[in-house]
Each structure stands twice: as C-alpha cells, then as structure tokens.
Amino acid sequence: MEDCIFCKIAAGEIPCRKVYENEKVLAFEDIHPMAPIHVIIIPKRHIATLMDVDAEGMADLQSMMSAAQEVARVEKVDQKGFRMVINCNKEGGQVVFHLHMHLLGGLRLKNGLA
Ligand code: AMP
Ligand code: ZN
C-alpha cells in the first residue's frame, strides 16, 4: 500500500524502535507514548481496519494476539498487567488506517474511556 505509514515501517522504509517481529507481525514503540510502555502491533500485510478483517485476516489477528503475549513478556508486564486497544474508524479514534493494536502498560490504568 503506497502512502501507508505502517506499511512503510513494515518494509523498513521508515525506521522504528522494534520490540518484536516474526514472519507475519511487527511490534514497535509508539512515537507518542500515552503510557510508560506503549507498543504498536501490526500485521505486515495491509489491512485497513478491524472491519476489513476477513477469514484470512483472522489468522493475522491471531498472530497479533500471540505477538502481544510475547511483547508483554519482553516489556515485563506479563504478570503486572497491561491493556490492549484497537481503535476502529473515525469515532473510534483511528488515525492510521493500517490495522494495529496498542499495548499499554507500566502504570496503574484507570477504567473508563478517554
Ligand atoms: P490510532 O489512533 O489507533 O490510529 O493510533 C495510531 C498510533 O500510531 C498513534 O498512537 C501514533 O502515535 C502512532 N504512530 C504514528 N506514526 C508512528 C510512527 N512513525 N512510529 C510509531 N508510532 C507511530
Ligand atoms: Zn498499510
């Protein structure tokens, strides 16, 4: 996908602070962290939003969830706890239209939104 910032990161055309990578998935530090630990987990192939996940995309989501477990271990929040977020479309707060999960941790997160 041209002009997709996360595709460019996946292709190595834009640098990132990589946390974890495998064949299907890449995880890197968010450039504007909203918590002491804020990692973005993406599928390497372009999927625009959660609503664009088809049967094949479900395998990517599964890989992203497995990667999240690994990231939690790497960041040493697997026991302490963390939060996963997927923003979908405009009212969901999605800004980058390449499917991604946020892994947030390193502080006691409050319940509730925004
Ligand atoms: P969302 O609002 O769910 O679309 O979140 C997009 C996230 O991507 C935001 O938290 C941004 O800070 C983050 N982001 C945007 N560009 C980059 C980049 N080049 N490297 C790392 N994180 C980025
Ligand atoms: Zn993309």
Side-chain angles (χ1 to χ4, degrees):
M1 261 284 168
E2 284 171 45
D3 291 336
C4 171
I5 193 165
F6 286 178
C7 279
K8 286 181 179 164
I9 288 174
E13 291 163 15
I14 291 178
C16 71
R17 294 178 66 147
K18 193 196 312 180
V19 176
Y20 174 79
E21 182 176 18
N22 67 29
E23 191 185 41
K24 289 190 148 192
V25 172
L26 176 66
F28 52 90
E29 290 177 10
D30 196 294
I31 205 164
H32 297 302
M34 292 174 61
I37 293 162
H38 188 169
V39 178
I40 298 286
I41 301 166
I42 64 167
K44 288 187 173 175
R45 73 188 188 95
H46 184 84
I47 301 171
T49 81
L50 185 61
M51 293 310 299
D52 297 299
V53 173
D54 56 13
E56 194 189 353
M58 285 298 166
D60 291 281
L61 268 183
Q62 205 170 7
S63 300
M64 290 162 73
M65 277 298 181
S66 293
Q69 291 181 322
E70 204 48 52
V71 169
R73 285 185 205 108
V74 169
E75 297 288 355
K76 299 190 178 2
V77 292
D78 52 319
Q79 298 302 316
K80 285 191 274 190
F82 58 94
R83 181 174 295 170
M84 301 296 302
V85 174
I86 299 178
N87 297 326
C88 184
N89 280 328
K90 199 173 166 193
E91 287 199 10
Q94 186 172 6
V95 174
V96 177
F97 283 79
H98 178 127
L99 177 66
H100 55 280
M101 295 171 171
H102 298 253
L103 186 151
L104 299 153
L107 79 172
R108 178 69 205 234
L109 289 157
K110 295 201 172 75
N111 291 323
L113 301 172

